[in-house]
């Protein structure tokens, strides 16, 4: 079963605009991670935020976590055509280091 | 070591045939994970190994599926008597500790299975 639900399912923006996607989950977590997947390829880890953190930055990425609402958001600033991909949130809810449970993903299209 | 390798990248098989996929993890990683991803969905956990021990299996892993990691290095995932519903991308990941640690969890490019 998938722990996370992502919103929107699909997003189309112009190059240079910001892209925001949200993830909601159901159980308490140790951490939440965001991954990117280009069409038909493997997953690339983007960023991890721990349950005691509220915000984290990495380059053009900004992730927030609200454990009271069991939700997270990923913001990509100044998007580029190369950011076109599917983005997944994944949660670690079990004993430390066991496995990740992924959401359904947001498909982002950045138009040049 | 260039990352996690999966072989083959694509496999087309007839319904009822057996298929086997291979995953070569990053050499120093002791944990190895298998996930399945159907079109338009997120990856779903199948099973994981710590060294050669298979520590957890999902209910998705029916008795037609078997995974092994005999020497704690590469792993194989076999599907017997394939069904059309087995068509999916099979992803392997490895990590030095738990994959939930994040940065040290590396995914392979996947094996795309099509059952016709």
């Amino acid at each position: 079963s998938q722990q996370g639900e992502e919103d929107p399912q699909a997003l189309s923006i112009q190059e240079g605009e910001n892209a925001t996607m949200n993830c909601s989950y159901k159980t308490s977590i140790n951490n939440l991670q965001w991954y990117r997947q280009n069409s038909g390829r493997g997953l690339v880890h983007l960023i991890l935020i721990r349950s005691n953190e509220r915000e984290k930055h990495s380059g053009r990425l900004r992730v927030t976590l609200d454990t009271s609402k069991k939700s997270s958001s990923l913001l990509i600033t100044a998007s580029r055509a190369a950011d076109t991909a599917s983005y997944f949130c994944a949660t670690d809810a079990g004993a430390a280091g066991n496995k990740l449970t992924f959401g359904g993903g947001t498909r982002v299209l950045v138009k040049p | 070591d260039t990352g996690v390798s999966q072989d083959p990248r694509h496999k087309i098989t007839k319904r009822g045939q057996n298929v086997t996929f291979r995953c070569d993890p990053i050499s120093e990683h002791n944990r190895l994970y298998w996930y399945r991803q159907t079109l338009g969905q997120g990856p779903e956990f199948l099973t994981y190994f710590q060294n050669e021990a298979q520590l957890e299996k999902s209910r998705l892993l029916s008795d037609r599926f078997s995974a092994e990691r005999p020497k704690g290095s590469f792993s194989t995932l076999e599907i017997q008597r394939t069904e059309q519903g087995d068509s999916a991308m099979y992803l392997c990941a490895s990590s030095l500790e738990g994959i939930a640690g994040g940065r040290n969890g590396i995914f392979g490019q996947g094996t795309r299975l099509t059952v016709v």
Side-chain angles (χ1 to χ4, degrees):
Chain A
S1 65
Q2 298 194 313
Q3 152 92 299
E5 293 184 5
E6 285 159 87
D7 171 59
Q9 290 188 329
L11 182 60
S12 180
I13 56 174
Q14 292 293 138
E15 207 166 24
E17 294 179 340
N18 295 343
T20 300
M21 59 210 86
N22 303 295
C23 167
S24 60
Y25 57 92
K26 298 172 185 172
T27 65
S28 297
I29 61 172
N30 296 321
N31 64 64
L32 184 145
Q33 302 176 41
W34 285 90
Y35 283 80
R36 184 185 73 214
Q37 185 179 39
N38 291 86
S39 180
R41 307 297 294 274
L43 295 158
V44 176
H45 180 261
L46 295 176
I47 196 165
L48 177 152
I49 186 165
R50 301 190 188 284
S51 60
N52 61 354
E53 297 176 311
R54 292 296 166 258
E55 187 171 314
K56 206 158 182 183
H57 297 254
S58 176
R60 293 183 297 112
L61 306 179
R62 173 178 167 254
V63 168
T64 63
L65 179 64
D66 187 335
T67 52
S68 66
K69 295 181 179 177
K70 291 187 170 58
S71 68
S72 174
S73 68
L74 171 67
L75 167 69
I76 305 172
T77 60
S79 62
R80 305 167 182 169
D83 294 329
T84 294
S86 291
Y87 292 82
F88 295 92
C89 68
T91 54
D92 160 30
N98 273 0
K99 64 178 186 280
L100 292 173
T101 304
F102 286 83
T106 294
R107 280 154 287 286
V108 175
L109 171 65
V110 182
K111 294 179 281 188
Chain B
D1 210 349
T2 55
V4 177
S5 298
Q6 291 189 247
D7 183 70
R9 292 290 309 279
H10 304 273
K11 177 72 177 179
I12 300 174
T13 191
K14 291 183 178 179
R15 190 174 52 188
Q17 297 293 306
N18 298 345
V19 293
T20 300
F21 311 140
R22 176 177 170 126
C23 172
D24 285 273
I26 292 174
S27 56
E28 63 265 28
H29 285 183
N30 60 346
R31 292 206 180 192
L32 186 148
Y33 300 77
W34 285 99
Y35 281 78
R36 183 176 73 184
Q37 185 179 25
T38 52
L39 204 60
Q41 301 298 314
E44 295 176 295
F45 171 79
L46 292 179
T47 189
Y48 89 95
F49 293 83
Q50 178 159 313
N51 300 313
E52 66 275 10
Q54 188 173 18
L55 296 186
E56 187 173 344
K57 292 193 290 186
S58 160
R59 284 171 292 180
L60 292 174
L61 215 64
S62 75
D63 56 6
R64 295 185 299 105
F65 288 70
S66 63
E68 293 182 345
R69 194 182 183 198
K71 297 181 180 179
S73 56
F74 73 91
S75 175
T76 58
L77 177 67
E78 181 183 16
I79 309 174
Q80 296 182 327
R81 305 181 302 281
T82 52
E83 301 172 357
Q84 286 188 321
D86 297 332
S87 294
M89 174 81 88
Y90 290 84
L91 293 162
C92 175
S94 73
S95 67
L96 188 56
E97 299 168 351
I99 195 173
R103 192 174 294 115
N104 61 350
I106 307 297
F107 278 83
Q109 294 296 301
T111 293
R112 180 167 296 284
L113 173 66
T114 304
V115 182
V116 298

